[in-house]
Amino acid sequence: MKILTHTVKPKIPEALAPLEEMAHNLWISWNFDAIMLFIRLDYDVWAQSSQNPAKMLGMVSQERYDAVAADDSFLAALKETYAKFLAYKNRPTWYKGDYTDSVAYFSMEYGMDPSLPTYSGGLGILSGDHLKTSSDLGLPLVAVGLLYRQGYFRQYLNADGFQQEEYPENDWYNMPVRRCESVNGEPTKIAVEIAGEHIVAQVWEVSVGRTALYLLDTNIDENTPANRLITATLYGGDKDMRIRQEILLGIGGIRALRAVGVNPAVTHMNEGHAAFLALERIRELMSSKAMSFAEAVQALWATNIFTTHTPVPAGNERFGVDLLEKYFKGWAHELGIEWKAFLGLGRENPADDAEPFCMTVLALRMSAYANGVAELHGVVSRDMWRKLWPGLDAAEIPIGHVTNGVHPRTWISSPMLELLDRYFGPRFEEDPTNLATWDRIDRVSDEELWRTHERRRERLVVFARDRLRRQMRRVGITEKGLVRADDALSPSILTLSFARRFATYKRGNLLLSDPDRLLRLLSDRDRPVQIIFAGKAHPHDLPGKEIIKELVHFSRRDDVFGRIVFLEDYDMTMARYMTSGSDVWLNTPRRPLEASGTSGMKAGMNGVLNCSILDGWWAEGYDPELGWAIGKGEEYGDTDMQDEVESKDLYDLLEREIVPTFYDRGRDGLPRDWIRMMKNSIRDTGKRFCTHRMLMEYTDQYYLPALDNARRLREGDYQAAKDVSAYMDRARKDWHSVAVEDIRTTAKPVMERGDTVTIEARVRTGGLEPEALRVELFHGPVSSTGEIYDATRVEMKAGNAQGGAYEYVVTVECQTTGKHGYAVRVLPRHADLVHPFIPGMVKWA
């Protein structure tokens, strides 16, 4: 059946035209004044549209439009808000660099607003906050992702409390996305060959303030029914579907940028899903500049950035050799490398024919810059991937860290933001990079801060009751039974919240380990506690679903009903209510399995106090003046023992510290100590864990150096890259001949602090000149197991040549007491290498 289609747009009066422009720019998602315009336009329609401004505009009646177009008050508010929008887009920004080159940010998901459900959880929310902050800072950054027809699943619970999933269809023509078109009005499309099939994707654009996000969509007539499903569901399907999605994201994403006229100099891979982009960039350069594979790698390695989010090996995407052969056998030929060498790009041990192909390994091998998402996660990542760099000390593995953050104006509730704006001044909004502004929290009176927070708790309770009523009605509860929902929770008692993905390591049921002790906390007449749970388990994670079911069953007990609730279908809207209206934000992962976590940051900025395991961001964010730590950062081999110890510690904290501090009130009814901790939490979390700090670190540590590398390496028709490639080819061929043959030292068995020690080494350089090698003294204290720790690296100077070997020497001072050790090693050296830590290229004495 042939169907002819056309698009119908709302007929908006000219006086209200700015509404459409703002509805299609997600700047609105962090500006409550703009949201209020749409609420004023028609509150009922706003609610019916699920708070989607773009959709709402097509639902408002023409009569209502005509009435509002004649309303002086509304028009004045519209004029003021639109002027603020234009001022934001045009005002000077933190970034003062060149806009000739850009950074392309790739992510599998983006969580920016409930009106655009292209996210599943923390990774997507971080990506969304990344783009919003990029806009605030004025960075030359564009982003790429996929446009999912169904997005992530919607969660609902059956009568037994077991999670079920549904996948509603997204209507992109009523969402804040616009199809990219040529000057002739034709849709912008790209093509990718996937296993011999010609896949076409059209490109859509999302405006995020100043930043553009481009999303690829295969649900078009040019594709077969099977290939239209590639962008059907986020994280849906089997391994075959996943690799097809990741080919489209990485390879198709680069082509999409070309199609819209963007030629990024630097790429940033947010997780390994987009790692195939490195192959496409190499292929392009080989084709356009007649370069070899090795030369193209050197030209681009220094311009790739990779952020890993996964703290366990099993969480990293791996594909079997059969899938790689199906999709990439032709690529090896096109790139001019052997098939085994191609597979080795994604293997920790390239010689192991049984090892699957890992996207994280590919990203690490193709990126000069790599980072974890918290200080502890950086340590875990360096240890997890140390096999890629045999011979390197774990601390030197070239994986750094940039601790995650959250976008304050998205996640701080509007009443709290209004309070902070009033006391912090206009610089808080206009110059968010001035982190010292957060110190002004002490200007806010205790009374105002507490009153604002209490209003947010009241709003949370109203929201939760409404959600509970809907949940109960859907499973068949009668109107008489629904009355119980109106009695659930209290707007005035200590409220704990636990909301996150229900993976088993997050231990959402840790508080149920001692039901009697929990019951005493919940039912205390004078100092009661209530708890709100929310979160989704992966559709295939049965243990995670069982934890949800256990919580739901416990919450239905007559002796706890209304004191514990589980709210289904956790999303950005619910997260905003919970992170701003709770009193305590609870997080109980098994250390060190939480890479970072960001929900606690959102809570902290709202004055909600964190109580968490010392894992992820809380390992560096914790201070006893702004929250509580469960345990002291211990790691256990026995998980049952860990659960027992840490659950008891959590109960102790609640009984001895958290509950008494909350209910200890003065004559004025204010919990002064609690409010003091709230202020500390707002100040510290705002300064240290906002995305403005995060993006400034990414810019200084990665974006600017990578942009400089791109400009330098492409000069002279990429001559510098060709020189590095020639050097690396020669160094690899001669590396087997490089050796440290002898070490001599002037050190006596016992030295005094201040004495100097001279170390000499004879190094055989093979066919390489001394200036092509970096010979280092590696020295520091020695542990009880005989290993050097807290090492210092000092370059040794080349001296006389002796029969194909060179004498190297260095003198160091004895600065600290204790047992010390020395070792000598050789690394490659070239002026255009970002760092000398090349996998497999380190020689020790």
Side-chain angles (χ1 to χ4, degrees):
M1 178 174 62
K2 184 175 182 179
I3 300 176
L4 301 178
T5 64
H6 63 271
T7 303
V8 179
K9 296 179 63 177
K11 186 178 180 181
I12 302 174
E14 186 176 349
L16 304 179
L19 286 174
E20 185 166 20
E21 182 180 353
M22 289 190 289
H24 286 85
N25 191 311
L26 290 179
W27 172 86
I28 192 176
S29 68
W30 70 93
N31 285 273
F32 191 69
D33 289 348
I35 292 173
M36 281 302 299
L37 283 175
F38 290 87
I39 294 174
R40 282 182 64 182
L41 179 61
D42 194 317
Y43 177 81
D44 291 335
V45 173
W46 170 256
Q48 292 166 18
S49 71
S50 300
Q51 302 178 23
N52 179 347
K55 182 179 181 180
M56 175 188 178
L57 292 179
M59 298 170 62
V60 175
S61 70
Q62 206 61 45
E63 292 77 14
R64 180 58 182 163
Y65 273 132
D66 293 340
V68 172
D71 183 339
D72 291 347
S73 174
F74 186 92
L75 292 178
L78 174 59
K79 181 180 179 180
E80 182 180 351
T81 304
Y82 187 58
K84 181 181 177 183
F85 172 61
L86 295 179
Y88 171 83
K89 293 175 69 176
N90 295 308
R91 75 185 180 210
T93 61
W94 173 80
Y95 180 76
K96 307 298 182 186
D98 187 358
Y99 286 86
T100 304
D101 291 319
S102 61
V103 177
Y105 179 88
F106 284 69
S107 182
M108 199 73 166
E109 53 175 298
Y110 292 89
M112 295 170 290
D113 189 71
S115 64
L116 191 63
T118 53
Y119 66 96
S120 69
L123 179 70
I125 299 300
L126 175 74
S127 299
D129 283 5
H130 198 108
L131 301 196
K132 294 173 183 179
T133 310
S134 168
S135 172
D136 289 345
L137 301 188
L139 298 180
L141 184 142
V142 296
V144 180
L146 302 181
L147 189 65
Y148 302 101
R149 195 177 81 204
Q150 295 178 328
Y152 204 52
F153 70 89
R154 301 290 301 272
Q155 176 200 51
Y156 67 95
L157 306 178
N158 65 17
D160 192 36
F162 194 74
Q163 174 181 294
Q164 305 288 304
E165 299 87 29
E166 58 183 2
Y167 295 86
E169 294 279 330
N170 290 320
D171 176 9
W172 302 124
Y173 295 92
N174 281 310
M175 289 186 173
V177 298
R178 291 190 186 276
R179 191 172 63 182
C180 294
E181 296 178 349
S182 68
V183 291
N184 300 323
E186 294 296 319
T188 301
K189 297 178 181 178
I190 59 97
V192 182
E193 294 292 324
I194 300 182
E197 295 185 271
H198 188 74
I199 312 296
V200 179
Q202 71 178 357
V203 185
W204 298 72
E205 181 179 356
V206 180
S207 296
V208 188
R210 300 180 182 89
T211 301
L213 164 63
Y214 297 101
L215 301 173
L216 280 70
D217 168 27
T218 64
N219 186 30
I220 54 178
D221 292 339
E222 288 92 327
N223 294 321
T224 65
N227 289 331
R228 293 178 71 156
L229 296 177
I230 292 176
T231 55
T233 308
L234 173 60
Y235 302 136
D238 56 12
K239 284 283 188 181
D240 191 77
M241 180 57 76
R242 286 294 287 274
I243 196 171
R244 292 162 77 86
Q245 287 185 330
E246 293 178 13
I247 290 170
L248 181 66
L249 174 63
I251 298 171
I254 291 292
R255 296 179 186 180
L257 290 175
R258 303 284 186 262
V260 298
V262 177
N263 184 23
V266 170
T267 56
H268 182 180
M269 296 167 254
N270 191 42
E271 262 301 3
H273 307 120
F276 290 136
L277 71 82
L279 304 180
E280 173 65 5
R281 296 186 76 200
I282 291 168
R283 185 200 64 78
E284 283 184 338
L285 205 54
M286 291 176 66
S287 175
S288 64
K289 297 296 180 180
M291 297 172 74
S292 69
F293 176 78
E295 290 171 340
V297 167
Q298 291 305 323
L300 297 171
W301 174 73
T303 69
N304 285 333
I305 302 160
F306 169 59
T307 297
T308 176
H309 292 260
T310 311
V312 291
N316 293 272
E317 190 84 77
R318 287 177 168 83
F319 297 113
V321 175
D322 56 335
L323 278 180
L324 263 292
E325 190 163 357
K326 175 181 177 181
Y327 290 104
F328 283 99
K329 193 68 177 282
W331 271 79
H333 177 75
E334 188 169 359
L335 296 176
I337 60 177
E338 297 293 329
W339 177 237
K340 185 168 183 175
F342 183 94
L343 291 175
L345 297 174
R347 286 171 167 166
E348 292 180 76
N349 179 6
D352 184 358
D353 292 336
E355 185 179 335
F357 189 95
C358 179
M359 297 296 285
T360 301
V361 173
L362 175 63
L364 287 169
R365 288 191 184 279
M366 290 292 154
S367 304
Y369 303 99
N371 69 281
V373 290
E375 184 177 8
L376 177 60
H377 183 233
V379 174
V380 171
S381 297
R382 287 189 288 276
D383 184 65
M384 187 162 66
W385 299 110
R386 63 189 306 174
K387 289 181 183 178
L388 281 173
W389 290 273
L392 271 191
D393 183 70
E396 293 183 300
I397 300 298
I399 303 176
H401 81 274
V402 175
T403 302
N404 282 345
V406 298
H407 186 252
R409 302 196 83 81
T410 294
W411 294 105
I412 298 177
S413 71
S414 55
M416 185 68 74
L417 201 55
E418 182 182 340
L419 180 68
L420 299 184
D421 280 337
R422 185 151 34 96
Y423 282 95
F424 287 8
R427 292 181 66 185
F428 183 48
E429 180 177 7
E430 295 169 6
D431 183 17
T433 62
N434 183 6
L435 301 180
T437 305
W438 292 92
D439 292 329
R440 296 181 178 182
I441 187 63
D442 289 329
R443 298 180 178 182
V444 181
S445 70
D446 289 358
E447 291 81 2
E448 281 192 281
L449 182 62
W450 187 245
R451 189 161 57 246
T452 301
H453 177 67
E454 288 198 306
R455 285 202 302 271
R456 291 311 305 163
R457 192 191 312 115
E458 290 167 3
R459 293 298 304 154
L460 170 60
V461 169
V462 170
F463 174 85
R465 287 172 176 173
D466 179 64
R467 282 294 184 99
L468 279 174
R469 174 177 279 271
R470 292 192 218 171
Q471 291 173 209
M472 294 168 71
R473 179 180 287 116
R474 193 180 37 71
V475 296
I477 303 296
T478 64
E479 284 298 322
K480 183 178 180 181
L482 290 178
V483 175
R484 298 187 74 191
D486 296 332
D487 290 331
L489 305 175
S490 165
S492 59
I493 69 175
L494 176 60
T495 304
L496 279 61
S497 284
F498 179 101
R500 55 201 8 94
R501 181 167 58 89
F502 268 80
T504 52
Y505 80 86
K506 293 180 182 284
R507 299 187 295 180
N509 57 348
L510 191 65
L511 262 177
L512 303 188
S513 58
D514 190 338
D516 293 335
R517 202 169 176 184
L518 177 58
L519 183 60
R520 287 196 295 273
L521 284 167
L522 298 172
S523 58
D524 189 299
R525 177 170 296 181
D526 298 320
R527 304 188 306 180
V529 172
Q530 60 190 8
I531 310 172
I532 302 174
F533 288 94
K536 300 176 179 179
H538 188 279
H540 302 307
D541 184 4
L542 292 180
K545 291 184 176 183
E546 287 295 331
I547 292 176
I548 293 175
K549 180 180 173 181
E550 181 185 359
L551 287 168
V552 172
H553 279 215
F554 189 84
S555 71
R556 291 175 178 172
R557 287 175 42 167
D558 288 337
D559 52 356
V560 302
F561 185 85
R563 285 287 189 258
I564 290 186
V565 299
F566 187 98
L567 304 182
E568 64 186 22
D569 202 30
Y570 185 57
D571 61 5
M572 288 186 73
T573 299
M574 189 185 297
R576 287 190 175 115
Y577 278 98
M578 293 182 69
T579 56
S580 64
S582 308
D583 296 301
V584 176
W585 195 257
L586 189 61
N587 190 23
T588 54
R590 286 196 183 97
R591 177 183 164 119
L593 301 182
E594 180 98 308
S596 173
T598 56
S599 60
M601 301 174 187
K602 299 160 193 166
M605 284 186 196
N606 278 286
V608 177
L609 306 184
N610 277 271
C611 177
S612 176
I613 300 291
L614 289 172
D615 197 10
W617 80 280
W618 193 235
E620 58 196 274
Y622 166 68
D623 185 285
E625 290 301 308
L626 51 88
W628 295 273
I630 304 168
K632 293 181 172 58
E634 303 90 348
E635 295 177 19
Y636 296 77
D638 185 336
T639 57
D640 290 336
M641 176 184 291
Q642 182 176 7
D643 292 351
E644 181 181 355
V645 171
E646 292 178 343
S647 66
K648 288 180 178 178
D649 193 18
L650 174 55
Y651 282 121
D652 287 344
L653 284 173
L654 286 167
E655 293 167 348
R656 299 176 185 176
E657 297 187 35
I658 297 175
V659 172
T661 305
F662 181 84
Y663 283 106
D664 184 13
R665 309 291 172 99
R667 290 184 179 180
D668 54 8
L670 296 178
R672 295 286 181 176
D673 287 341
W674 190 276
I675 296 171
R676 174 179 51 80
M677 294 179 71
M678 288 176 65
K679 289 184 175 180
N680 292 335
S681 177
I682 293 170
R683 176 194 300 109
D684 231 52
T685 312
K687 290 175 69 172
R688 298 177 58 197
F689 299 103
C690 66
T691 40
H692 299 94
R693 183 274 311 158
M694 181 187 86
L695 258 292
M696 288 191 287
E697 287 187 14
Y698 270 115
T699 302
D700 292 338
Q701 296 178 29
Y702 301 128
Y703 292 168
L704 292 179
L707 287 167
D708 288 341
N709 294 341
R711 297 182 190 109
R712 186 182 72 255
L713 289 168
R714 70 184 176 218
E715 288 177 354
D717 203 27
Y718 289 93
Q719 188 56 50
K722 294 173 182 176
D723 291 344
V724 177
S725 175
Y727 163 77
M728 291 302 299
D729 183 57
R730 191 160 56 93
R732 286 192 174 98
K733 288 178 181 176
D734 290 342
W735 201 251
H736 70 280
S737 302
V738 175
V740 182
E741 295 183 332
D742 182 43
I743 302 179
R744 301 174 301 280
T745 176
T746 62
K748 295 178 288 188
V750 178
M751 306 287 289
E752 293 185 349
R753 187 159 52 194
D755 290 349
T756 58
V757 177
T758 299
I759 296 92
E760 298 175 325
R762 186 170 66 250
V763 178
R764 187 163 298 279
T765 63
L768 299 170
E769 305 80 14
E771 56 268 24
L773 297 172
R774 178 181 173 92
V775 179
E776 292 182 342
L777 178 69
F778 188 86
H779 69 101
V782 176
S783 69
S784 59
T785 58
E787 297 178 347
I788 296 174
Y789 64 95
D790 291 338
T792 300
R793 302 161 51 200
V794 183
E795 184 175 359
M796 303 179 74
K797 301 299 182 183
N800 298 328
Q802 293 184 356
Y806 288 81
E807 293 292 326
Y808 285 79
V809 64
V810 70
T811 298
V812 295
E813 182 181 348
C814 300
Q815 295 180 332
T816 58
T817 59
K819 188 176 182 180
H820 283 251
Y822 304 87
V824 174
R825 68 180 181 186
V826 185
L827 298 165
R829 179 211 295 277
H830 191 281
D832 288 308
L833 276 177
V834 174
H835 58 73
F837 301 125
I838 308 301
M841 296 188 74
V842 56
K843 282 289 183 77
W844 291 90

